[in-house]
Amino acid sequence: MTLPELTAIYPPGTFLAPRLEDPSAKWVPSDLHAVEFMTANLIACAGGFPMLVHKAAMSPDGLELMERCGVNIGSAIETYETPDDYHNALMRRIEDGQTAVFVYPSSVQLPEKKAALVASDCLAHLNNKQNIAQLSGPENIPRRRTIDNGSRDQRDTLVAPIALKIATNEPNAGGLDVAICRRRRHIDRALSRFADAETLIAEELIEAVRNWCVQFAVTADGTVCEIGATEQICIRSGIHAGNLYAVDASPEENVLTIGRSIAEAGSKLGFRGLCGFDILLDRHGKAFVIDLNFRPVSSSAFLYEALRRSNLGTGARFARLAFCRSEGTLAQMIRRCDQGFRDGWIIPLATFEPEFGGLKGGTARMRLMIVADSLKVLHRREQSLAGCGVDFVHMPNRFEQLKHWFRNVI
């Protein structure tokens, strides 16, 4: 399967404006380094599509490593260093007649509507969890009800286990607006964390056997095409910690059918571009939509690269996306992991060197693809990477999966 290039998905004259501009956004990563690193999500599959990316993600050490590992870096990337630099670059392009592809709803005052490919109010509506039933069909979501967070009586009716979510038009990402509550104490913690939210969603907690992120593209004329799917790796609290791609695995037909219908619903409302939807499958084969991301997701470049290498005959049976960080500089992090890069089982999809980007403090970061021809070897390579002093969330092994299942059954 050959995926369409971004220049074929987005109309001519558009450019990616990926930065989260709202400094007061509560339901997305608040760490400045994380905010700036997210702008590099698509550099490994950008091709000739123009985009703004923070300078820290384009350091000489990082670019040399990606080229050495055979990753094709975007050819039309413009770097910026400060939020003001980003805003100036954004407005300069718009004044030159280009159209911005915003990843998050933008608070920038635009000179005219056509300055944005998708209007911010449309993005806000599509990504608000309160509207999932409208877009995917009420029969395709877990049982849920809305809670007025200002009402003590309504909050007291919450009973575990549930998934507690925030209904908001504000930017949201990374699972920071979701809490998996298996015990009453988890609900209490979530209510404390979500104290600033006006409306909550109390959703039936689905014990899933598969957790898919299915991705689609909505092209300029509104046509929907399938991009692919990976399984999601999440920690028990619900925070997303990576993805798993398997050559021989694909979502069940009902998952793909529902995903396509969601993309088509978004297309009718004016969405254009890459999008990805989180769909669970329970042990009875029933599919449940739990989150909609009408924007490029963190695994988009990972899926593109895995499929590209598979088409070239250089891919492995399994690939795992890991969000990694390490104390010290990026150069030091690269040296610690160098054998894995040389042996070809670690592939960098994005790197981040704070000092090069004018950011003080912080740690080096990388988005890495770990590849192997068996899950056993993949787990072993995760252990090797961790032994290099790299921090990331490991995939659960078979024993951990069984323990998790047994705990939930009891």
Side-chain angles (χ1 to χ4, degrees):
M1 177 181 179
T2 301
L3 297 181
E5 294 187 4
L6 299 192
T7 50
I9 295 173
Y10 294 98
T14 56
F15 69 98
L16 188 70
R19 190 177 190 274
L20 174 66
E21 299 168 78
D22 184 357
S24 64
K26 306 179 187 70
W27 317 120
V28 289
S30 57
D31 173 46
L32 178 61
H33 291 202
V35 168
E36 302 298 9
F37 191 26
M38 287 192 298
T39 66
N41 282 358
L42 296 181
I43 64 172
C45 66
F49 184 54
M51 57 183 61
L52 303 176
V53 174
H54 194 272
K55 183 181 176 183
M58 302 293 286
S59 71
D61 287 330
L63 296 181
E64 188 278 331
L65 175 68
M66 294 177 72
E67 290 172 357
R68 173 157 61 95
C69 293
V71 178
N72 298 325
I73 305 161
S75 61
I77 293 173
E78 178 181 354
T79 61
Y80 69 90
E81 190 165 330
T82 68
D84 284 344
D85 291 342
Y86 176 85
H87 179 79
N88 292 337
L90 172 70
M91 297 310 296
R92 186 191 70 248
R93 285 176 174 267
I94 289 174
E95 288 166 3
D96 287 343
Q98 298 179 47
T99 299
V101 178
F102 290 109
V103 172
Y104 298 100
S106 175
S107 57
V108 174
Q109 293 296 317
L110 300 176
E112 51 187 326
K113 276 191 174 181
K114 69 177 184 179
L117 181 65
V118 182
S120 286
D121 58 351
C122 178
L123 279 180
H125 175 83
L126 292 172
N127 289 290
N128 188 328
K129 290 177 173 56
Q130 194 163 8
N131 302 322
I132 292 179
Q134 173 189 334
L135 294 158
S136 60
E139 70 280 8
N140 295 318
I141 66 171
R143 292 191 299 270
R144 50 160 42 190
R145 61 191 176 102
T146 57
I147 300 291
D148 178 358
N149 203 21
S151 168
R152 177 65 181 268
D153 290 342
Q154 290 194 35
R155 294 200 308 272
D156 286 346
T157 64
L158 296 172
V159 178
I162 56 170
L164 203 57
K165 304 180 177 183
I166 293 170
T168 179
N169 280 334
E170 295 179 71
N172 53 86
L176 298 184
D177 56 339
V178 176
I180 303 301
C181 305
R182 301 183 184 279
R183 302 286 185 271
R184 179 66 216 186
R185 66 179 182 273
H186 302 154
I187 293 177
D188 293 338
R189 290 173 193 163
L191 290 174
S192 176
R193 181 156 63 95
F194 297 160
D196 292 337
E198 294 183 6
T199 305
L200 302 178
I201 299 166
E203 190 173 270
E204 174 192 8
L205 187 61
I206 303 299
E207 296 301 344
V209 296
R210 309 296 287 272
N211 181 348
W212 290 106
C213 176
V214 292
Q215 298 187 44
F216 294 85
V218 183
T219 58
D221 64 357
T223 300
V224 171
C225 64
E226 180 186 338
I227 297 296
T230 57
E231 288 196 71
Q232 300 198 102
I233 302 165
C234 297
I235 61 178
R236 281 179 59 80
S237 64
I239 299 296
H240 177 226
N243 292 69
L244 178 67
Y245 167 81
V247 170
D248 301 327
S250 59
E252 292 70 15
E253 191 59 37
N254 58 336
V255 171
L256 291 175
T257 299
I258 293 170
R260 176 174 285 275
S261 71
I262 296 168
E264 289 172 347
S267 175
K268 291 176 182 177
L269 292 176
F271 179 79
R272 299 294 183 268
L274 288 174
C275 50
F277 314 127
D278 300 348
I279 303 179
L280 305 181
L281 201 76
D282 73 5
R283 60 191 178 91
H284 303 293
K286 167 70 175 171
F288 294 91
V289 182
I290 60 167
D291 198 15
L292 306 181
N293 299 291
F294 278 94
R295 56 176 174 260
V297 293
S298 58
S299 59
S300 294
F302 167 69
L303 181 58
Y304 263 82
E305 186 66 12
L307 288 171
R308 184 181 76 87
R309 290 176 182 256
S310 180
N311 291 337
L312 292 174
T314 59
R317 288 189 62 226
F318 296 94
R320 185 260 154 108
L321 172 65
F323 309 133
C324 304
R325 57 192 301 163
S326 179
E327 294 300 326
T329 66
L330 179 62
Q332 291 170 331
M333 187 179 186
I334 292 170
R335 282 197 296 272
R336 293 190 192 109
C337 310
D338 196 56
Q339 193 60 52
F341 292 126
R342 291 183 182 279
D343 291 343
W345 59 267
I346 310 178
I347 300 159
L349 300 176
T351 66
F352 194 77
E353 173 52 87
E355 187 174 341
F356 180 78
L359 299 171
K360 295 182 180 179
T363 59
R365 304 175 189 231
M366 287 196 279
R367 289 188 176 211
L368 298 179
M369 182 162 71
I370 309 168
V371 299
D373 283 322
S374 72
L375 286 175
K376 183 177 181 179
V377 172
L378 191 59
H379 284 294
R380 193 160 63 236
R381 287 176 173 173
E382 279 192 330
Q383 293 172 349
S384 296
L385 183 59
C388 297
V390 176
D391 296 327
F392 63 99
V393 176
H394 294 210
M395 287 193 307
N397 57 35
R398 183 61 178 163
F399 174 74
E400 291 167 332
Q401 290 173 332
L402 287 172
K403 186 170 68 173
H404 172 73
W405 176 84
F406 185 68
R407 183 189 294 117
N408 291 336
V409 168
I410 292 178

